């Protein structure tokens, strides 16, 4: 039996000794070694690739360095110069060489527009994916000049403005005298002055909105099915994202759908058994959510102008509702002190419980304690984060993964001054004893730019306040006020630079009352701010905002609904005017 060792030498298989490199070796050489041939269209690419590939071969594959060292005396002398440098110095040297190569290439060939466009498209696609997944991905709160904003007030001889909705370039306001008005928002004008060293961001000339259409209801009339309008005060309004529909609801328990073009009524729904307090469209669709004092939330499809279903669960009247792109909504139940996330498709709900005090640790003075009695406002930041405003002045940040707020700012809009004895007592010579301590101002309006870190709140302290969600999404930070910088101690502000409490059992963090008092301008008797120091005189009942241009490149527009009294009652009256105001904020 023959074997390999018994075969003659002529029949033995011999390995072919190839002189050229194998394809894998070629590929390895192209990846790790220097590039010897460059493309004719980009002559400088080989030099830059050589610097990069050289750094990889020096650090990752030391044996392959011998193929480069034998190229000549110049290479050996350059290696000897950098023989004693550390790894960090070597990386720095290679980075400087890489930047020098890029500068030479740009000077000779110019920018690669195709590559720049590719990077911009990739960044935009990442943002779209984040938005589709419902995540906060834009940090824009620090990019606007809020104190340089221009204010344009407007009104139409109506009673208290209760709500406002925006579908650019149009705005819709409703009031307690059953009036629905359509406005056209002006485009911001160019700056009136040239930028100087002192005034880098000159204010543009303010322009007032134009009144386009107005329609008024029939007060003191029985709600007959034949009537095509409201018969009592309108409390809320919403505009569809496509600009086709406007929805209104009020004390007459009616939900009316209007044509946005000419304000003609299209459909009247009367399924609610009590006043309608809030309306919200699902982002990008014509699906509508309505909240009511009958403790329910109802869903509607405006494409078919039909009722869909009712959501039950709240133990008190539902005063506000909010929604974003996913088929779910958030609602607040006033004095049941709960926030509920309704997952419409799964037919489930998540319950978040408030009711905490504005100070986790009691201060020395027990009168500083302000309990949360009602959650009145809610706004969604993304599909997992949202903010709420309460009647004790607390502004809370929530996440759907915890049942308690992760962060709370007490007295976000300060305290009202204590009542004078003449205001509290009917006697001709009342006693000098102060009848009650200063009370917190409610959060009466709340809005947020979707999928960003920007939150805006309003009350009756005379300011629209701006807040920022921190990068770790665990706290709120004060940015400032809209219109002009607030004078310290005039209208009541709170900062969040002080020490925080440790997280209590519920997992929330709150600003300590002692720290808040140091930064809040409390209004005690005789120290109330002058009216001319305020930006807004009245109660801010609602706030709507939108970004101008592509993702806010041309600025931000904030519209506030203002009244002499609260939208849900007459228990809080403030000196001011009924109407609205437009704030145009430019980019820094």
């Amino acid at each position: 039996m023959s074997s390999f060792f018994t075969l003659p030498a002529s029949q033995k298989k011999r390995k072919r000794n190839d002189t050229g490199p194998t394809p894998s070796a070629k590929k390895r050489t192209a990846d790790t070694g220097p590039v010897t041939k460059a493309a004719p269209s980009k002559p400088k690419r080989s030099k830059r690739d050589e610097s990069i590939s050289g750094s990889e071969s020096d650090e990752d594959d030391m044996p392959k360095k011998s193929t480069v060292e034998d190229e000549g005396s110049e290479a050996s002398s350059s290696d000897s110069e950098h023989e004693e440098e550390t790894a960090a110095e070597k990386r720095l040297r290679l980075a400087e060489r890489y930047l020098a190569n890029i500068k030479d290439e740009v000077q000779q060939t110019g920018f690669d527009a195709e590559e720049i466009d590719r990077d911009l498209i990739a960044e935009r696609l990442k943002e779209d994916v984040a938005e589709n997944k419902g995540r906060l991905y834009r940090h824009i709160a620090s990019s606007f000049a809020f104190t340089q904003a221009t204010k344009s007030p407007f009104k139409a001889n109506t009673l208290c403005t209760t709500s406002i909705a925006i579908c650019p370039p149009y705005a819709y306001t409703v009031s307690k005298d059953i009036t629905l008005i359509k406005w056209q928002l002006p485009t911001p004008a160019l700056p009136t002055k040239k930028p100087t060293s002192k005034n880098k961001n000159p204010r543009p000339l303010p322009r007032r909105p134009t009144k386009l259409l107005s329609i008024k209801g029939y007060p003191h009339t029985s709600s007959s099915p034949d009537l095509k309008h409201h018969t009592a005060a309108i409390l809320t309004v919403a505009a569809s994202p496509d600009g086709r529909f406007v929805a209104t609801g009020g004390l007459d328990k009616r939900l009316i759908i209007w044509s946005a073009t000419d304000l003609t009524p299209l459909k009247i729904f009367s399924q609610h058994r009590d006043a309608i307090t809030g309306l919200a469209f699902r982002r990008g669709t014509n699906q509508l959510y309505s909240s009511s004092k009958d403790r329910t939330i109802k869903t509607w499809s405006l494409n078919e102008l039909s009722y869909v279903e009712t959501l039950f669960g709240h133990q008190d009247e539902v005063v506000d509702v909010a929604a974003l792109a996913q088929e779910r909504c958030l609602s607040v139940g006033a004095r049941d002190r709960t926030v509920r996330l309704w997952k419409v498709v799964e037919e489930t709900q998540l319950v978040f419980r408030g009711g905490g005090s504005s100070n986790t640790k009691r201060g020395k003075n027990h009168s500083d304690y302000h309990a949360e009695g009602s959650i009145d406002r809610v706004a969604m930041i993304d599909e997992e984060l949202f903010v709420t405003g309460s009647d004790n002045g607390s502004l809370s940040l929530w996440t759907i993964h915890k049942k308690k707020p992760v962060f709370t700012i007490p007295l976000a809009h300060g305290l009202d001054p204590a009542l004078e004895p003449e205001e509290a007592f009917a006697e001709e010579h009342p006693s000098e004893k102060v009848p009650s301590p200063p009370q917190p101002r409610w959060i009466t309006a709340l809005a947020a730019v979707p999928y960003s870190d920007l939150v805006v709140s309003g009350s009756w302290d005379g300011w629209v306040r701006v807040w920022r969600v921190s990068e770790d999404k665990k706290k709120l930070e004060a940015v400032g006020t809209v219109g002009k910088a607030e004078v310290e101690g005039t209208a009541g502000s709170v900062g969040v630079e002080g020490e925080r409490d440790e997280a209590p059992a519920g997992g929330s963090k709150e600003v300590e009352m002692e720290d808040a008092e140091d930064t809040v301008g409390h209004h005690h008797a005789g120290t109330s701010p002058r009216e001319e120091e305020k930006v807004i005189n009245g109660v801010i009942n609602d706030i709507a905002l939108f970004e101008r241009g592509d993702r806010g490149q041309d600025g931000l527009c904030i519209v506030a609904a203002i009244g002499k009294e609260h939208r849900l009652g007459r228990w809080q009256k403030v000196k001011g005017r009924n109407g609205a105001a437009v704030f145009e904020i430019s980019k820094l």
Side-chain angles (χ1 to χ4, degrees):
M1 181 176 179
S2 63
S3 65
F4 177 84
F5 298 101
T6 58
L7 288 175
S10 60
Q11 297 181 8
K12 290 182 180 179
K13 293 183 179 180
R14 300 173 57 190
K15 292 185 179 179
R16 187 171 56 186
N17 189 11
D18 296 335
T19 57
T22 60
S24 61
K26 289 181 180 179
K27 185 176 181 180
R28 209 164 39 243
T29 306
D31 291 338
T32 58
V35 180
T36 56
K37 293 184 179 181
S41 60
K42 296 184 178 181
K44 290 292 180 180
R45 181 69 66 179
S46 60
K47 188 176 180 181
R48 194 199 319 175
D49 294 342
E50 182 177 356
S51 64
I52 299 173
S53 61
S55 64
E56 294 179 356
S57 60
D58 291 340
E59 293 178 6
D60 300 335
D61 201 357
M62 298 297 293
K64 294 181 180 179
K65 187 177 179 181
S66 59
T67 59
V68 185
E69 292 177 349
D70 298 332
E71 289 181 358
S73 60
E74 293 182 359
S76 61
S77 62
S78 62
D79 289 340
S80 61
E81 291 178 1
H82 306 292
E83 214 171 22
E84 298 180 355
E85 66 179 357
T86 62
E89 292 173 345
K90 187 172 187 178
R91 285 193 294 269
L92 179 61
R93 176 173 57 83
L94 293 176
E96 290 175 349
R97 185 194 304 174
Y98 176 71
L99 291 175
N101 293 342
I102 290 179
K103 289 180 181 179
D104 294 340
E105 182 179 350
V106 168
Q107 289 176 358
Q108 294 184 9
T109 63
F111 288 101
D112 188 355
E114 183 179 355
E115 185 175 353
I116 294 174
D117 291 341
R118 193 182 303 114
D119 294 339
L120 293 175
I121 293 172
E123 183 179 356
R124 185 62 178 265
L125 288 175
K126 290 179 181 179
E127 293 181 354
D128 292 339
V129 169
E131 182 172 339
N132 291 333
K133 291 184 178 181
R135 298 173 182 170
L136 186 153
Y137 64 92
R138 303 170 59 206
H139 298 276
I140 61 174
S142 58
S143 61
F144 293 104
F146 290 103
T147 57
Q148 300 291 330
T150 60
K151 175 190 172 185
S152 302
F154 61 98
K155 62 177 183 177
N157 294 326
T158 61
L159 294 181
C160 172
T161 305
T162 56
S163 184
I164 193 165
I166 290 179
C167 183
Y170 303 108
Y172 304 88
T173 59
V174 292
S175 58
K176 286 188 177 181
D177 58 356
I178 327 177
T179 303
L180 170 63
I181 304 177
K182 180 180 180 180
W183 307 81
Q184 183 171 7
L185 298 175
T187 55
L190 296 175
T192 56
K193 299 179 181 179
K194 294 182 179 180
T196 60
S197 58
K198 295 182 179 179
N199 188 13
K200 296 182 179 179
N201 295 316
R203 295 188 180 187
L205 184 67
R207 297 178 179 177
R208 296 181 184 272
T210 305
K211 182 179 176 181
L212 300 179
L213 293 170
S214 175
I215 184 168
K216 192 170 183 179
Y218 311 99
H220 311 295
T221 307
S222 62
S223 29
S224 170
D226 298 332
L227 287 176
K228 301 297 183 181
H229 208 295
H230 289 282
T231 59
I234 307 176
L235 300 180
T236 181
V237 63
S240 62
D242 60 0
R244 293 171 54 197
F245 304 105
V246 176
T248 59
L251 290 176
D252 58 355
K253 313 173 189 177
R254 287 184 165 197
L255 172 63
I256 302 182
I257 309 302
W258 312 80
S259 172
T261 56
D262 53 3
L263 295 185
T264 56
L266 302 176
K267 186 74 174 180
I268 298 177
F269 297 104
S270 57
Q271 279 84 347
H272 278 294
R273 295 181 295 172
D274 208 336
I276 299 173
T277 57
L279 294 170
F281 276 94
R282 181 183 165 199
R283 186 179 173 89
T285 68
N286 287 327
Q287 184 175 353
L288 178 67
Y289 301 98
S290 64
S291 61
S292 172
K293 289 185 177 181
D294 61 6
R295 307 180 184 182
T296 65
I297 296 96
K298 295 184 185 295
T299 62
W300 317 82
S301 175
L302 297 196
N303 289 328
E304 292 83 15
L305 293 177
S306 62
Y307 160 78
V308 179
E309 64 177 323
T310 302
L311 308 174
F312 297 92
H314 277 289
Q315 303 302 311
D316 194 24
E317 57 189 37
V318 188
V319 292
D320 200 10
V321 65
L324 282 181
Q326 295 187 12
E327 198 166 353
R328 54 176 64 178
C329 68
L330 270 171
S331 61
V332 288
R335 298 204 173 272
D336 72 356
R337 292 173 293 187
T338 63
V339 186
R340 296 177 185 255
L341 175 65
W342 306 88
K343 299 181 179 180
V344 179
V345 177
E346 295 89 342
E347 297 183 355
T348 59
Q349 58 177 296
L350 296 178
V351 183
F352 308 91
R353 301 196 178 276
S357 65
S358 64
N359 55 324
T360 306
K361 297 178 181 179
R362 301 289 179 86
K364 296 180 181 179
N365 188 1
H366 184 70
S367 63
D368 293 332
Y369 172 78
H370 301 287
E372 184 179 58
S374 172
I375 303 179
D376 296 330
R377 283 297 190 176
V378 63
M380 296 186 71
I381 298 173
D382 59 17
E383 301 294 348
E384 295 184 351
L385 292 174
F386 59 94
V387 288
T388 59
S390 307
D391 64 347
N392 66 341
S394 297
L395 192 67
S396 301
L397 176 66
W398 304 69
T399 176
I400 64 172
H401 304 296
K402 290 186 178 181
K403 298 298 183 182
K404 288 286 186 178
V406 296
F407 191 80
T408 300
I409 297 178
L411 305 174
H413 285 260
L415 291 172
D416 256 344
L419 291 175
E420 295 287 347
E422 292 80 6
E423 297 175 348
F425 300 109
E427 287 83 356
E428 191 172 331
H429 300 287
S431 63
E432 297 298 329
K433 182 180 179 181
V434 178
S436 63
Q439 296 298 314
R441 298 187 181 97
W442 304 356
I443 305 297
T444 57
L446 197 59
V449 177
Y451 310 109
S452 75
D453 62 341
L454 182 60
V455 179
V456 180
S457 65
S459 186
W460 59 82
D461 61 339
W463 305 93
V464 176
R465 300 191 181 277
V466 184
W467 313 89
R468 172 178 55 227
V469 181
S470 62
E471 293 187 2
D472 58 2
K473 303 179 184 179
K474 292 183 179 180
K475 59 183 177 181
L476 290 172
E477 301 172 350
V479 176
T481 54
V482 178
K484 61 181 179 180
E486 180 191 6
V487 180
E488 185 177 356
T490 56
S493 63
V494 62
V496 293
E497 292 81 12
E499 295 294 329
R500 270 80 175 175
D501 294 336
E502 293 297 325
S508 65
K509 292 184 179 179
E510 303 182 354
V511 182
E512 274 221 41
M513 182 58 61
E514 289 82 358
D515 297 332
E517 288 179 353
D518 293 338
T519 53
V520 174
H522 289 185
H523 297 294
H524 299 289
T527 60
S528 60
R530 294 173 296 176
E531 295 299 326
E532 59 268 19
E533 291 174 344
K534 297 182 179 180
V535 175
I536 294 177
N537 293 322
V539 181
I540 303 175
N541 285 316
D542 198 8
I543 292 177
L545 46 78
F546 68 96
E547 296 176 276
R548 292 193 180 274
D550 184 18
R551 306 201 178 210
Q553 294 298 321
D554 298 334
L556 182 70
C557 180
I558 299 176
V559 187
I562 308 168
K564 294 181 181 180
E565 56 194 27
H566 194 273
R567 70 184 187 105
L568 297 179
R570 306 188 69 181
W571 51 80
Q572 182 65 45
K573 289 190 175 183
V574 180
K575 292 182 180 179
R577 293 182 178 180
N578 296 320
V582 179
F583 295 93
E584 295 289 349
I585 302 104
S586 59
K587 283 276 227 179
L588 286 174

